[in-house]
Amino acid sequence: DTGVSQNPRHKITKRGQNVTFRCDPISEHNRLYWYRQTLGQGPEFLTYFQNEAQLEKSRLLSDRFSAERPKGSFSTLEIQRTEQGDSAMYLCASGSASYNEQFFGPGTRLTVL
Amino acid sequence: AQKVTQAQTEISVVEKEDVTLDCVYETRDTTYYLFWYKQPPSGELVFLIRRNSFDEQNEISGRYSWNFQKSTSSFNFTITASQVVDSAVYFCALRVVIKAAGNKLTFGGGTRVLVKP
């Protein structure tokens, strides 16, 4: 399967713990996006990478959130000192200059107890 | 700032009926793309269709068709002869094409479609 993959698919953690999610984009795509989706809502943009450069960050991305994309391949999203309000589905998407659409992974569902 | 509104939260139909999903968008930019995505119960967003702001020609692709009207800022989507497998949440999304806005998608709140056998 050459689609976008995300790991883990589910994560349950206690408030205050740190969590890290991984996204592997479609191999030829140089653009990578992170979105957050809460129950009953549409996805909301968090951040965007072109190759290894993080070019845009949403105001939703507080200082407890950090994202990296070393070497312009996979990306990680870390949340420090998790709060119950961080419970959501975290979606990763990839794309390229050749495509205007973004292709999404299956998401990581985070539950903070 | 961009905004996408999907006024219908849920639509229930019987199989083989047509379903039309409404989408209204707001942007001051003249160059943009509009999308429809499907999110089945499994959770993965699936790209369905794309339309750019310079092409108002409405098209049909299989059982899907769309009606793009710039004058009313609407991008409606129709599923013809619905099937149970069409049951999902459908999202309309907007991407403007200016450097300052990056490449992010702005999504509507989604419309849940339930197709009953």
Side-chain angles (χ1 to χ4, degrees):
Chain A
D1 189 341
T2 56
V4 179
S5 62
Q6 293 187 245
N7 288 288
R9 294 292 307 277
H10 303 273
K11 178 70 177 179
I12 300 174
T13 190
K14 293 182 178 179
R15 189 175 52 188
Q17 298 294 305
N18 299 342
V19 295
T20 300
F21 311 141
R22 175 176 171 131
C23 171
D24 287 89
I26 294 171
S27 58
E28 62 267 29
H29 288 177
N30 64 343
R31 297 176 176 178
L32 188 146
Y33 311 80
W34 286 98
Y35 292 83
R36 183 174 71 183
Q37 185 179 21
T38 53
L39 201 62
Q41 304 296 318
E44 296 175 291
F45 171 78
L46 292 179
T47 190
Y48 155 61
F49 289 85
Q50 183 158 312
N51 300 312
E52 64 275 12
Q54 189 173 18
L55 298 184
E56 188 174 358
K57 293 195 291 186
S58 162
R59 288 177 296 175
L60 292 175
L61 215 64
S62 74
D63 55 6
R64 296 185 297 106
F65 288 69
S66 63
E68 294 182 341
R69 192 183 182 197
K71 302 179 183 178
S73 55
F74 70 92
S75 175
T76 58
L77 178 68
E78 181 183 14
I79 309 174
Q80 296 182 328
R81 305 181 303 281
T82 52
E83 302 172 355
Q84 288 186 324
D86 297 331
S87 295
M89 176 78 86
Y90 290 85
L91 296 164
C92 175
S94 71
S96 72
S98 303
Y99 301 98
N100 291 297
E101 54 269 29
Q102 297 173 16
F103 297 91
F104 284 80
T108 295
R109 181 168 296 282
L110 172 67
T111 302
V112 181
L113 302 176
Chain B
Q2 294 77 43
K3 184 178 179 181
V4 177
T5 302
Q6 295 179 250
Q8 306 150 306
T9 55
E10 186 166 326
I11 299 175
S12 181
V13 297
V14 176
E15 206 169 17
K16 297 185 182 178
E17 290 183 341
D18 296 348
V19 182
T20 295
L21 309 179
D22 298 334
C23 173
V24 174
Y25 62 93
E26 296 176 29
T27 180
R28 294 183 178 181
D29 300 286
T30 57
T31 304
Y32 50 88
Y33 290 90
L34 294 161
F35 305 84
W36 278 96
Y37 281 85
K38 174 183 179 181
Q39 189 172 43
S42 61
E44 188 165 340
L45 278 162
V46 178
F47 164 75
L48 296 177
I49 59 172
R50 177 193 74 229
R51 176 60 61 196
N52 71 55
S53 55
F54 294 110
D55 185 358
E56 288 192 71
Q57 182 177 352
N58 297 313
E59 291 188 15
I60 298 173
S61 176
R63 294 188 300 109
Y64 298 152
S65 62
W66 48 97
N67 185 351
F68 175 34
Q69 294 191 350
K70 287 182 74 172
S71 61
T72 56
S73 298
S74 65
F75 185 52
N76 298 336
F77 176 68
T78 298
I79 305 171
T80 302
S82 60
Q83 301 174 2
V84 173
V85 293
D86 296 326
S87 296
V89 180
Y90 290 81
F91 291 98
C92 180
L94 165 71
R95 179 169 83 81
V96 297
V97 187
I98 56 171
K99 192 173 182 180
N103 290 277
K104 65 185 176 188
L105 293 173
T106 300
F107 285 87
T111 299
R112 181 176 300 278
V113 173
L114 178 60
V115 181
K116 301 176 182 177

